[in-house]
Amino acid sequence: AILIGRGTALTDNPLLNTRLPGCSERSPVRVVLDTYVKTPLTSQLAQTAKDIPLWLVCQDQAAEASRIEAWQATGADVLALADMAPLTIAQALGARGVTTVLIEGGAQVAGSFMKTGLIDRVEWFRGGQVLGGDGLPALGDQALAQLSDARQYRCESIRPLGSDRWERYVAV
């Protein structure tokens, strides 16, 4: 599965599909975290839900029934959970047979899963530009009291990808 939050859905309006020639049937289940079901029905995700599996995860007490029904009409499966905690989401995905998830973003979603210790591998793609404070953060706040509280990862590989780098880290 590939997972994003509502912010990424709104900002990027992604398809989250496989675009490699001959591999379109291998697109992963697309998972969108949207507590209140506010992602527009005009999004590319909604427009392709009948063709490419899409699961919209919301909080059952927070989402309007009419919004859930509208998303279901697009072909999306709506998973209404008791809460939006990363462990609750992971358990719901696991109950549907999903054991591997690529968290595409954004920073808040990636940070919340990282903070709970659910991330066992990080695939990091770095461009050649240095943005500093002008860029968007890759991870949300980790609420670390001290540096030693951070989960440790070991660099497994670094590969060039054009002018960029692909770095792979595994949890220690």
Side-chain angles (χ1 to χ4, degrees):
I2 185 167
L3 184 147
I4 62 171
R6 182 176 57 94
T8 298
L10 291 173
T11 302
D12 297 347
N13 192 22
L15 276 171
L16 302 178
N17 64 333
T18 301
R19 293 179 292 279
L20 297 172
C23 294
S24 61
E25 284 81 37
R26 299 194 63 197
S27 287
V29 171
R30 303 168 301 163
V31 179
V32 178
L33 306 182
D34 187 351
T35 303
Y36 304 101
V37 190
K38 297 289 187 180
T39 302
L41 293 167
T42 56
S43 70
Q44 292 190 95
L45 292 164
Q47 298 300 308
T48 57
K50 283 187 170 52
D51 303 318
I52 306 167
L54 176 66
W55 298 349
L56 189 77
V57 180
C58 65
Q59 189 168 343
D60 62 2
Q61 299 298 315
E64 293 178 21
S66 62
R67 296 285 304 160
I68 291 174
E69 291 166 6
W71 268 92
Q72 289 170 327
T74 70
D77 285 343
V78 178
L79 286 67
L81 306 178
D83 63 69
M84 296 296 284
L87 184 57
T88 303
I89 294 163
Q91 289 170 335
L93 297 179
R96 289 175 152 240
V98 173
T99 58
T100 302
V101 177
L102 170 64
I103 299 174
E104 174 71 17
Q108 183 179 344
V109 169
S112 66
F113 276 82
M114 182 73 78
K115 193 180 338 185
T116 62
L118 291 171
I119 307 294
D120 58 5
R121 185 173 73 213
V122 175
E123 304 279 343
W124 198 269
F125 296 86
R126 262 198 248 224
Q129 304 88 6
V130 177
L131 302 179
D134 297 323
L136 296 173
L139 285 177
D141 184 24
Q142 295 298 290
L144 301 172
Q146 50 194 15
L147 190 57
S148 61
D149 292 340
R151 184 160 186 197
Q152 299 297 307
Y153 291 86
R154 175 181 50 81
C155 183
E156 190 173 75
S157 65
I158 299 174
R159 298 184 352 200
L161 200 62
S163 61
D164 300 336
R165 290 185 348 174
W166 174 10
E167 302 172 8
R168 174 177 287 168
Y169 297 85
V170 293
V172 178

